[in-house]
Amino acid sequence: MTVKLFKRNTMRPHHPFVLTLFTVILVCTRTAINAANIPVTTTSIPEIESDVRVDCNNDEIVVSISTRSGRFNGMIYPAGLTKNSPCFGEWVQTSVPVKYKLPLRACNTMSMELDDGGIEYFNTIVVQPHLKLVTNQGRSFHIRCRYSTRNNTVTINDIDGPKLDYLHSEDTSIPPMPGCTMKIFTGDPSNKEVAENVKIGDPLSLQVSLDKQDTYGIRVTDCLVRDGIGSGEQKLINDDGCPLDSEIMGIFQYSEDKTTAIVKFQAHKFPSTESVYYQCNVKLCLKANGGCVEANPTACGSNRVRRQANNADSSEGTPATIEVYSGLYVNEANDLAKVDDDSVFSEKAPDDAICISQKNFAIGICVAGLILMLCAITAILCLLARRRPKKVSSNPSSSIYSGPYTNTAYSHSS
């Protein structure tokens, strides 16, 4: 009898190992995804009401602020100013509404001329319901007030108030006083690009203009610059129209019709704040018979201009004086030399540290986990493919041994 032996496939399945590895990878990936979700803490309802009342007065803006509790305990200040400025206000358990006053020509309040001839004043205030800390309960409000009048004032003849000097002339056909404006442009004034936010050293042009007419001309005098919080003031042009420091501001250049005066200078600021306010006195003069005398570089520094101005004033009467204002923000640049946008530079972090945000780090962990999972699955498939048995062709007439040898069983009977 021939005994046939066949090889049996005794390899065990690897499904439990695959499931365990897959579960571990899923847990790691889930943990990385949870790390990307930045926890959001729930906050209470804001104490500061979102609706505020704004009253536009002649020389100030009054903002009325209310709270949900009916009382306010905190501070109000213009954005960008510190606690040491006079624009900073504190209230301790005060009944609402709280009234905060913003001057039109101080405390970072700026203005811009509208197309209809009016002017708009604007500022941003911060309301914090805490006397010491800046918290997420605070709110900021952008305040705007529009006026139909121009940004200048005519002084009146009064002992207790401002001063107005009237033009005296026997000609009753003289037209009414024209409007006068001051604007600060970036670069050349012909570009008509009004300067609002510049850097120290940027080229600027200050332009004083009178409405076009044939009767009056202007002479710009007594120009000064202020920081708007009462801690800094510098005079630039004296009462003769001559510059006090030509490196800060030069002499005005007048147009032929004496209705426009322009001076070019570089942006500057005070250390206390980024806002600067310019103010000039504009004296009106009658063009007839050479009544408008302007300052010139050769005359400044002598008594010639003063004598000519006094002679013109005595012949034509005391000139009307118009005060004009304008302001802008000047930022302190880290480097006055501008860097081109396409320039490349490198900065070495301390100890060669690599800084990365929490969100980007979590995303990187997720991507790395997915790549690891794919690599593990690929390795398992390759392992299974290598351990799979080869197919053996079955032949009923042959045994497991080849060649002439056979396994033969003999029986012996007695």
Side-chain angles (χ1 to χ4, degrees), residues 8 26 28 58 105 114 116 179 187 248 269 344 352 355 411:
R8 184 180 178 183
L26 285 181
C28 295
N58 291 334
R105 300 185 182 100
L114 303 177
D116 58 0
I248 303 299
K269 65 183 289 293
V344 179
D352 293 335
C355 300
S411 62

Side-chain angles (χ1 to χ4, degrees), residues 393-414:
S393 59
S394 60
N395 189 356
S397 61
S398 62
S399 65
I400 194 172
Y401 297 102
S402 61
Y405 301 98
T406 59
N407 291 332
T408 307
Y410 298 92
S411 62
H412 179 73
S413 58
S414 55

Side-chain angles (χ1 to χ4, degrees), residues 265-315:
F265 64 102
Q266 292 182 341
H268 47 255
K269 65 183 289 293
F270 293 93
S272 54
T273 178
E274 295 180 352
S275 57
V276 290
Y277 298 87
Y278 295 89
Q279 172 185 337
C280 289
N281 288 343
V282 181
K283 295 183 178 180
L284 299 186
C285 55
L286 295 174
K287 296 180 182 180
N289 300 324
C292 296
V293 179
E294 63 181 77
N296 57 78
T298 57
C300 287
S302 63
N303 295 326
R304 179 182 176 184
V305 175
R306 183 178 296 274
R307 290 196 302 268
Q308 290 179 348
N310 292 336
N311 293 336
D313 293 346
S314 60
S315 61

Side-chain angles (χ1 to χ4, degrees), residues 324-361:
V324 289
Y325 304 86
S326 186
L328 73 159
Y329 296 108
V330 180
N331 300 314
E332 187 170 355
N334 294 329
D335 189 358
L336 295 181
K338 294 185 177 180
V339 181
D340 296 335
D341 295 336
D342 56 351
S343 60
V344 179
F345 64 94
S346 60
E347 181 179 358
K348 182 180 179 181
D351 298 331
D352 293 335
I354 299 177
C355 300
I356 186 172
S357 65
Q358 181 181 1
K359 183 177 180 181
N360 293 335
F361 177 76

Side-chain angles (χ1 to χ4, degrees), residues 4-68:
K4 298 179 179 179
L5 301 177
F6 298 94
K7 185 178 179 181
R8 184 180 178 183
N9 185 9
T10 60
M11 187 181 70
R12 297 180 180 180
H14 291 264
H15 297 111
F17 173 75
V18 175
L19 291 177
T20 302
L21 182 60
F22 185 74
T23 303
V24 172
I25 295 175
L26 285 181
V27 171
C28 295
T29 306
R30 181 63 179 176
T31 303
I33 294 175
N34 291 335
N37 298 326
I38 300 175
V40 180
T41 58
T42 57
T43 57
S44 58
I45 300 176
E47 171 69 8
I48 309 299
E49 295 282 358
S50 58
D51 295 333
V52 298
R53 176 184 174 87
V54 179
D55 296 321
C56 303
N57 298 334
N58 291 334
D59 56 352
E60 64 183 7
I61 302 174
V62 181
V63 185
S64 301
I65 301 168
S66 300
T67 61
R68 296 183 183 275

